[in-house]
Amino acid sequence: MKLSIIIPVFNEEKTISDVLKKIDELSLGKVSKEVVIVDDGSKDATVEKIKGFFKKHSPKGFSLYQHKENKGKGAAIKTAIEKATGDYVIIQDADLEYDPQDIVRLLNGIKNGNEVVYGTRLKRLPHFAKEEKTGRFMMHYLGNKFLSLVTSLLYGQWLTDMETCYKLFPKKSALKMNIRARGFEFEPEITAKLIKAGFKIHEMPITTKPRGYTEGKKLDTFKDGRKALWTLFKYRFVN
């Protein structure tokens, strides 16, 4: 089996080298690995950092594709899926919120007979002493829980974290879908279409280290939340 780890990246010069290092060092046992990076029109030194990492480390199975202008996270993921050659695909954010070691755990879910595995951050109460002590992160937590509940009610599968980055799914199934999302609404669209295609989504707990908005977090809780809600309702009734 071959796994394609796809990394959509936009203006992540501070973290991209560390992320690539962790992915390069990640051992998947008998599962072969490729890494498909799509730079979505970064205006900072992100591309230079990536090319510098390639030159210094010569990582095996890594490739870089570039959008001349910023098209959105969903568009970058779509490009990466089209370029990927693995049997399965998983999305890795270009910051340091998600620990690549969790990819090994999610792969074990595939080996145990599941076809689609999500890494859930939200099988827990709010971290009142950590990130959710701030109003903005509490709204983010509640918004994600609400969107996951709406997903569960609309599509008949119980999910705790629809918005998670770590989504592991068959590449051939994704290629059959007409993914229209250009931004963060990719998350509800791919979830809706996977469920409608007959897949049972298996969730496995993961841990994250959320970064603050001053550190470069790009998600707009209210704006992107409204788009996600509309996307969930839209794809319940259309393809």
Side-chain angles (χ1 to χ4, degrees), residues 134-172:
T134 65
R136 197 166 186 180
F137 270 98
M138 177 57 76
M139 290 301 298
H140 186 64
Y141 171 90
L142 293 175
N144 281 349
K145 294 290 282 187
F146 173 71
L147 289 172
S148 298
L149 176 61
V150 170
T151 305
S152 302
L153 294 175
L154 284 175
Y155 293 92
Q157 282 192 33
W158 182 253
L159 293 177
T160 63
D161 191 4
M162 178 275 293
E163 289 279 0
T164 182
C165 165
Y166 273 169
K167 293 176 167 68
L168 177 58
F169 50 87
K171 180 204 166 183
K172 64 180 180 181

Side-chain angles (χ1 to χ4, degrees), residues 188-226:
E189 181 177 354
I190 190 69
T191 301
K193 291 183 175 181
L194 284 169
I195 294 175
K196 290 177 72 173
F199 289 102
K200 171 66 177 176
I201 298 174
H202 178 72
E203 290 188 307
M204 299 185 71
I206 59 172
T207 57
T208 58
K209 295 180 180 178
R211 62 175 174 170
Y213 289 87
T214 59
E215 299 173 286
K217 192 175 185 67
K218 301 178 180 69
L219 188 67
D220 184 318
T221 302
F222 294 103
K223 180 181 177 181
D224 291 308
R226 288 195 300 269

Side-chain angles (χ1 to χ4, degrees), residues 75-94:
I77 292 173
K78 186 175 181 179
T79 296
I81 291 174
E82 291 171 350
K83 300 296 184 181
T85 62
D87 303 294
Y88 283 83
V89 168
I90 192 168
I91 304 159
Q92 171 71 51
D93 276 351

